[in-house]
Amino acid sequence: MFITFEGIEGTGKTTQIKKLVKFLEESGHNVDVTLEPGGSRIGKELRKILLNMESTDITGQCELFLYLADRAQHVSQVIKPALEAGKIIISDRFADSTIVYQGYGRSLEPLLLRELNEVAVSGCWPNLTILLDIEPELGLRRATTRNMDENKTLEEGRFEAESIDFHSRVREGYLTWAALNNDRIKIINADQTPDEIFSQIKEKVLEALQKRDA
Ligand code: TYD
């Protein structure tokens, strides 16, 4: 079972993933957690280039292929082995991030990006994707505070520094893409308490597990 979490910055993906892992482990499942970019050794190097504020000269195409390269390595070294071992693997971001950020955000063609993703994903599309949805103003405020608290603004702040217009396009892109893939992508309002959000996520995950076992 492969579950991914998506959403703009500051939706609380990390908090919800922790809650989900605890819940699944307490229910007797074997769970691994990973993330993009940076889920593999080589991916960690790519993450530095992709998120550093100093990468201002990166072209849109270079950015796209680095995300795809990160994913190809991640799928083959981390995700496939976990699935083959019968685990539940949860990834903080995956292929939908490329379709939405590089596609709807940077104006590359989303359907072409889906095709390019096929190469990187090589059959491993998620069974379930949780999209945490929030107003960009609210999400960005949370993400910027987190980066300042963790002293990560220079190292990892390149996307947070994008305009509010960019983040609004990304948010709308996520909603459009989710509507086109509504059997897999489930939208959850992230402007609620963490416990309220989690109870809705739990419902979707239990449904997906039931579907898998049916
Ligand atoms: P990260 O610090 O992990 O952000 P968050 O905590 O919001 O998940 O940064 C990942 C950034 O990379 C995020 O701004 C989205 C962007 N991204 C893409 O543009 N395309 C992609 O394919 C992926 C995986 C991420």
Side-chain angles (χ1 to χ4, degrees), residues 5-11 13-14 35-38 47 50-51 63-64 66-68 70-71 92-102 106 117 143 146-147 152 156-160 166-167 170 174:
F5 277 71
E6 295 284 349
I8 63 166
E9 350 292 300
T11 51
K13 292 195 298 308
T14 314
L35 87 171
E36 288 197 358
R47 179 177 176 97
L50 282 164
L51 302 188
E63 180 183 282
L64 166 66
L66 290 183
Y67 278 116
L68 293 173
D70 172 65
R71 183 158 309 126
D92 185 343
R93 299 193 179 280
F94 192 64
D96 299 306
S97 280
T98 301
I99 291 167
V100 172
Y101 279 79
Q102 280 64 53
R106 302 249 194 260
N117 254 322
R146 173 201 62 193
N147 278 357
K152 280 191 169 163
E156 300 222 330
R158 195 166 68 87
F159 279 86
E160 283 82 352
F166 175 80
H167 292 284
V170 169
Y174 265 129

